[in-house]
Amino acid sequence: MATATQNEIGMGGLAGICSGYLFKKVSKYAAATAIIGYLVVQGASQSGYIKINWKKVNDQIEDLKEDSTVKKLKAQLADLTDEISEIVLDEDTLCLEDEGKLKATVRRAYDAVKQNAATSGSFTVGFVLGILFA
């Protein structure tokens, strides 16, 4: 009978292989679709079927950059980020008082990988194998 660790390794590896295989297949089709779409639009533009008003495109982009709603959202996001970094609860979950955001994120990621080492490792190996053999 397989132990829990063996089951975790098997499931992690299987999930990794499937994910890697699908990632490679889907990324090929996505890239091909994007390239074909770009070429079709460029060909239609060069043939005169499509006329792109670049001035209007640039004006709209500039309007978005200067839009007060976007500036407000950016400010609110910055405030929220600052508030989250100031919260001090359990030492295992959020930032410690003397710890920066990056250090806290790295610590939490390390703790998660350490707790799930068998699954994480086998998933990573399986993912690479899935990409290689797709």
Side-chain angles (χ1 to χ4, degrees), residues 61-113:
I61 290 172
E62 290 302 320
D63 289 345
L64 282 175
K65 286 181 183 177
E66 297 171 2
D67 189 9
S68 62
T69 306
V70 173
K71 287 182 181 178
K72 286 178 188 176
L73 288 174
K74 284 182 182 178
Q76 288 175 351
L77 181 60
D79 292 343
L80 183 61
T81 304
D82 291 339
E83 287 178 26
I84 290 172
S85 67
E86 292 172 2
I87 295 174
V88 178
L89 291 175
D90 185 19
E91 67 180 34
D92 293 332
T93 57
L94 297 174
C95 295
L96 303 175
E97 289 184 52
D98 60 344
E99 184 177 46
K101 294 177 196 175
L102 179 62
K103 190 174 179 183
T105 303
V106 170
R107 179 181 48 80
R108 288 194 307 271
Y110 175 74
D111 290 344
V113 169

Side-chain angles (χ1 to χ4, degrees), residues 8-59:
E8 289 175 13
I9 291 171
M11 290 304 293
L14 182 63
I17 289 171
C18 293
S19 298
Y21 181 83
L22 287 174
F23 176 77
K24 189 165 183 181
K25 292 296 182 182
V26 169
S27 63
K28 282 181 184 179
Y29 293 120
T33 302
I35 291 169
I36 290 170
Y38 175 77
L39 292 174
V40 167
V41 169
Q42 287 299 318
S45 176
Q46 293 295 325
S47 300
Y49 291 108
I50 298 174
K51 181 171 167 107
I52 299 172
N53 186 348
W54 288 108
K55 183 178 179 337
K56 186 174 181 179
V57 171
N58 288 332
D59 289 344

